[in-house]
Amino acid sequence: MTSSQQTPDPDAREGGPPHSRSRTHDHAHAHTHAHGPAAPVSRHLRRVIAAVLIPFATAVVVGLVALWPGGAPDHERTGVGFDRQTEQARVVRVQEVDCSEVNAGQVPPTGDTSTPEGREAVNSQQGKCKKATVEVTSGKDRGRTFVEIVQPDASRQLAEGQGVVVAYAPDAPRDLQYSVSDVDRDFPMMLLAGIFALVVVLVGRLRGVMALIALCLSFAVLTLFILPAILQGSNPLIVAVVGASAIMLMALYLCHGLNARTSVAVLGTLISLLLIGLLGSVFIGWAALTGNTDDNTGLIHGLYPSIDMSGLLLAGVIIGSLGVLDDVTVTQTSAVWELHQADPAMGPRDLYKAGIRIGRDHIASVVNTLVLAYAGAALPLLLLFSIAQSGVGMVATSELVAEEIVRTLIGSIGLVASVPVTTALAALVVSADRPGGTVTGVAAGAMRSRGRRRRAK
């Protein structure tokens, strides 16, 4: 199909000279395919898509309103883990002292250094410790100082002038009320976030700005709706579905525009999320995964016994899969749209076959990405099991590891299924768009115009 068959000839209607018509037409064709957006779908298809998405968006809004929490419920602090009162502080002085002087109350070492406990005992008596004076810089005790002893083999060493986070235990003796719990990482974290935002805007320009806005809105939904609603006792699965749907609608339409192409990606993402939710409900229950596998989840269950921990696990699977799903569905939809623009004569079957070939490459990389992301997050856990004297089967079926395996496999199944589903939806929508004003209608008009000019010659 030649270029004259792709774009209507404006000079043919205006009676311009043939050579002028040819140059004008060639320029219009190059501009349309090299830089212009995809041709809009017909009014009928827009109505069909709206008939599906408007009720869905309305249901999401109703769900947000019905489940919207008034904030996280109050509770009495336990002083355990993250549930501690903390303040900001600064190390004002560090002195090096003999550990025997500051660890006098400890049990004397036996001299056996073959065990970690023995080595720690020896170091606590024979090594050089640091005596850090720390000043509280926030809260009601601002200006108060206390002493923190740092052992020589401690993983976190303190330096003079360093900002730290201190835990406050009001019921402890005065000299033991404050202790260093972490270091202050505000500046490096904010600097890294600023670099990230700058890179996204410089490379993505307006799309990058919209992506950052969508990211902020996603965190807002997560922190203002999903987490407080779960803490208040709402069903974690329903909360996750409503919250993930709201994030999906805002992120996709903000980043990719309010058009039919994005709407098809939204439908593909929605179907895949429903599949992930269904599989998660079946296999998390079948495998008897409680979701209560570490100190943090145990603390949550202790503070809020009404929370369904297995439902919380399923909610995490849904939300964790959403980001990669968006990438897959948008990519597949765009691929089908571009294939149709390149050859408007392609039917839905040919479009699907061509699109799915692109999707297979995407599947291979995305599944590997998801598995490696989960493996990286669980690397310390995998390292512990690699040195344990247990068989692979026993390790893989233990709840701590099985939880990660189920999470990975369910998310991967949803991602793989999203490729054929989204490709089929996009192929059906774009190939069904036949009226004038679409690429196909324009091409047919150009062919008729060219035929009339040839007969006139």
Side-chain angles (χ1 to χ4, degrees):
M1 185 176 293
T2 62
S3 62
S4 60
Q5 294 172 312
Q6 300 293 324
T7 311
D9 192 339
D11 288 322
R13 294 189 299 269
E14 299 171 1
H19 64 277
S20 173
R21 292 196 302 267
S22 176
R23 286 195 300 268
T24 304
H25 163 73
D26 290 341
H27 172 76
H29 168 70
H31 178 79
T32 300
H33 284 269
H35 306 287
V41 297
S42 65
R43 182 177 300 178
H44 172 69
L45 281 180
R46 288 199 299 268
R47 288 175 177 173
V48 172
I49 294 172
V52 176
L53 290 178
I54 290 178
F56 168 62
T58 303
V60 171
V61 172
V62 171
L64 288 172
V65 173
L67 298 172
W68 192 267
D74 294 329
H75 70 277
E76 186 176 350
R77 290 184 180 272
T78 63
V80 178
F82 289 104
D83 194 39
R84 293 180 291 180
Q85 181 178 340
T86 58
E87 300 292 348
Q88 298 295 315
R90 182 173 59 90
V91 180
V92 295
R93 186 172 58 180
V94 176
Q95 297 174 284
E96 192 173 84
V97 297
D98 290 332
C99 290
S100 58
E101 297 179 7
V102 293
N103 294 325
Q106 294 190 4
V107 178
T110 62
D112 181 13
T113 59
S114 61
T115 63
E117 293 81 4
R119 288 191 295 269
E120 183 178 351
V122 169
N123 289 333
S124 67
Q125 293 293 324
Q126 299 179 0
K128 289 290 186 180
C129 293
K130 290 183 178 179
K131 182 180 179 181
T133 302
V134 183
E135 180 184 359
V136 180
T137 57
S138 66
K140 63 182 182 65
D141 291 329
R142 183 175 182 179
R144 178 176 167 181
T145 60
F146 66 94
V147 173
E148 181 86 6
I149 303 300
V150 183
Q151 301 296 331
D153 56 351
S155 59
R156 182 189 301 119
Q157 298 292 320
L158 300 180
E160 189 170 323
Q162 183 179 19
V164 293
V165 178
V166 295
Y168 175 61
D171 298 332
R174 178 175 174 81
D175 292 342
L176 302 177
Q177 285 182 335
Y178 284 98
S179 61
V180 176
S181 62
D182 207 345
V183 299
D184 186 356
R185 302 182 182 88
D186 288 350
F187 179 74
M189 297 297 289
M190 292 177 63
L191 178 61
L192 182 60
I195 295 173
F196 164 73
L198 181 63
V199 171
V200 170
V201 171
L202 288 177
V203 177
R205 299 188 179 180
L206 181 59
R207 288 288 181 92
V209 173
M210 301 307 293
L212 291 177
I213 294 175
L215 181 62
C216 293
L217 291 175
S218 298
F219 273 107
V221 172
L222 183 64
T223 57
L224 299 179
F225 171 70
I226 295 178
L227 299 180
I230 292 175
L231 288 177
Q232 284 194 346
S234 298
N235 187 299
L237 175 58
I238 297 176
V239 171
V241 170
V242 173
S245 299
I247 291 173
M248 173 185 66
L249 289 172
M250 291 187 297
L252 288 180
Y253 283 119
L254 271 175
C255 294
H256 305 286
L258 188 62
N259 51 52
R261 179 187 295 188
T262 307
S263 299
V264 172
V266 167
L267 289 175
T269 305
L270 174 61
I271 294 172
S272 302
L273 282 178
L274 293 176
L275 175 62
I276 290 173
L278 177 61
L279 289 173
S281 299
V282 171
F283 284 95
I284 288 176
W286 196 359
L289 299 177
T290 63
N292 188 4
T293 54
D294 56 26
D295 293 340
N296 293 327
T297 54
L299 178 60
I300 293 172
H301 184 64
L303 293 174
Y304 302 98
S306 61
I307 293 180
D308 179 9
M309 299 303 294
S310 61
L312 187 62
L313 172 61
L314 178 56
V317 173
I318 293 173
I319 295 172
S321 302
L322 178 61
V324 188
L325 268 178
D326 289 350
D327 173 52
V328 173
T329 55
V330 168
T331 301
Q332 284 304 115
T333 305
S334 297
V336 173
W337 240 262
E338 294 300 326
L339 287 169
H340 180 68
Q341 276 194 280
D343 187 0
M346 293 179 69
R349 179 175 296 181
D350 292 333
L351 283 172
Y352 177 81
K353 289 181 178 179
I356 205 67
R357 285 195 293 269
I358 299 173
R360 290 191 184 105
D361 290 335
H362 206 182
I363 286 173
S365 60
V366 165
V367 169
N368 197 43
T369 299
L370 188 65
V371 171
L372 290 179
Y374 281 128
L379 198 57
L381 174 65
L382 297 177
L383 186 60
L384 282 176
F385 278 108
S386 69
I387 61 177
Q389 301 298 318
S390 302
V392 175
M394 182 177 294
V395 170
T397 55
S398 64
E399 182 170 3
L400 200 58
V401 178
E403 183 178 296
E404 298 299 325
I405 293 175
V406 169
R407 190 198 310 268
T408 303
L409 295 181
I410 290 175
S412 298
I413 291 172
L415 289 173
V416 172
S418 70
V419 172
V421 168
T422 308
T423 305
L425 284 173
L428 290 173
V429 168
V430 75
S431 62
D433 190 37
R434 296 301 183 191
T438 64
V439 175
T440 303
V442 169
M447 292 174 65
R448 289 193 296 269
S449 176
R450 183 178 176 88
R452 286 194 298 269
R453 292 198 306 271
R454 285 177 174 175
R455 287 194 297 269
K457 292 179 181 180

